[in-house]
Amino acid sequence: FTFVSLYRDEAIILRTQKLGEADRIITLLTRGNGRVRAVARGVRKTSSRIGARLEPFNHVDVQFYEGKSLDNVSQVETIDPIGGRLAGDYAKWTAGTVMLETAERLTPEEREPTVQHYALLVSGLRSMAASEHEPTLILDAYLLRSLAVAGWSPSFDECARCGEPGPHRAFNIQAGGMMCPACRPPGSAAPSPLTVALLGALLSGDWDTADGSAHRERTEASGLVAAFLQWHLERGLRSLPLVDRTWHSQVQGL
């Protein structure tokens, strides 16, 4: 008789990888156990009852049993089939894919509880699926807040170096945000005041300001957020260029 240690958690599916002929490795961000990688056995067979539930984006309730190297999925119940609600919209799907990849990259330690990251991801994906705001706005708000949770909150109101109250005109990625004239390093960006206001609104959750912004400010803000994110991650996201092309085509089509 072997004692099997079981645990249950709710999670967002981040990624799946094929394993052998019928299995998959599932990467999940859970509420109580942080990022977990687990084997789901037999889910690639057409007879599998849980395979469709273990797709990226889906919000699920999962039972695991602990294994030697990777845990194993034993039961899955769907809480919200978010993947199915995003699948028909390219802009939502690609923006959501960046959110999943970012969540995985910002939770490098497995089984390390990160309730704030989990809550941000769930609320962001639900907002995306419900079309509460334009997809790129939801994505940029998610990225800024996730960076803040990770300890890299950009400063938009005061100088990131000396704390001098703004508004300031220079934005420097390496320095951590807006810079006063005295602290401004060479090569800093000079976003428009409306773009800076939009960035601050996305970080703070001021959706009235964000929703009322123009495409020009949204495009400039997205570029700064992407650069800020990739500076801190130290290497690019595979999914981000797909979203960039979507934004540009939307702007050019107006």
Side-chain angles (χ1 to χ4, degrees):
F1 177 78
T2 303
F3 177 75
V4 177
S5 178
L6 296 171
Y7 65 99
R8 196 172 196 100
D9 210 339
E10 62 175 67
I12 293 285
I13 310 293
L14 299 181
R15 186 158 58 95
T16 68
Q17 299 162 268
K18 293 178 180 178
L19 178 67
E21 292 186 2
D23 306 336
R24 277 201 175 108
I25 297 174
I26 313 293
T27 303
L28 315 93
L29 185 61
T30 70
R31 178 193 288 277
N33 292 275
R35 185 169 59 82
V36 172
R37 293 170 72 237
V39 176
R41 303 205 178 276
V43 293
R44 288 165 56 207
K45 294 179 180 177
T46 54
S47 59
S48 172
R49 291 181 300 167
I50 65 171
R53 300 170 194 169
L54 291 171
E55 291 295 331
F57 298 109
N58 284 347
H59 188 198
V60 291
D61 183 285
V62 189
Q63 181 173 285
F64 304 89
Y65 64 90
E66 295 183 355
K68 290 183 178 179
S69 56
L70 291 175
D71 295 346
N72 290 264
V73 173
S74 59
Q75 292 180 14
V76 186
E77 299 296 334
T78 301
I79 297 172
D80 187 351
I82 296 174
R85 296 200 284 144
L86 298 181
D89 189 310
Y90 183 78
K92 290 181 183 179
W93 181 269
T94 52
T97 301
V98 176
M99 294 165 69
L100 297 186
E101 189 178 353
T102 300
E104 184 172 0
R105 291 280 292 278
L106 289 178
T107 53
E109 298 296 324
E110 289 192 30
R111 302 293 294 272
E112 187 73 38
T114 52
V115 177
Q116 285 180 288
H117 277 301
Y118 172 78
L120 270 177
L121 185 60
V122 171
S123 63
L125 291 176
R126 281 179 175 167
S127 181
M128 189 86 74
S131 303
E132 291 178 2
H133 310 282
E134 203 253 336
T136 55
L137 292 178
I138 295 171
L139 172 61
D140 287 338
Y142 170 79
L143 295 177
L144 288 170
R145 294 178 201 180
S146 293
L147 286 164
V149 169
W152 299 314
S153 182
S155 174
F156 299 122
D157 298 324
E158 57 188 31
C159 177
R161 184 167 289 167
C162 73
E164 177 72 22
H168 301 301
R169 290 303 312 273
F171 182 86
N172 190 275
I173 293 165
Q174 295 91 327
M178 301 306 294
M179 308 294 289
C180 71
C183 295
R184 171 181 181 159
S188 298
S192 76
L194 289 174
T195 298
V196 178
L198 172 58
L199 289 165
L202 292 171
L203 181 59
S204 66
D206 175 3
W207 285 107
D208 287 341
T209 297
D211 289 335
S213 61
H215 273 286
R216 180 178 177 179
E217 282 76 49
R218 295 181 188 188
T219 303
E220 187 173 36
S222 293
L224 292 174
V225 172
F228 193 76
L229 173 73
Q230 296 193 93
W231 165 261
H232 284 293
L233 294 181
E234 296 180 350
R235 59 188 172 90
L237 293 170
R238 296 185 305 275
S239 52
L240 198 54
L242 298 174
V243 182
D244 275 339
R245 284 196 286 274
T246 309
W247 292 334
H248 296 159
S249 64
Q250 286 175 342
V251 173
Q252 290 165 0
L254 289 177

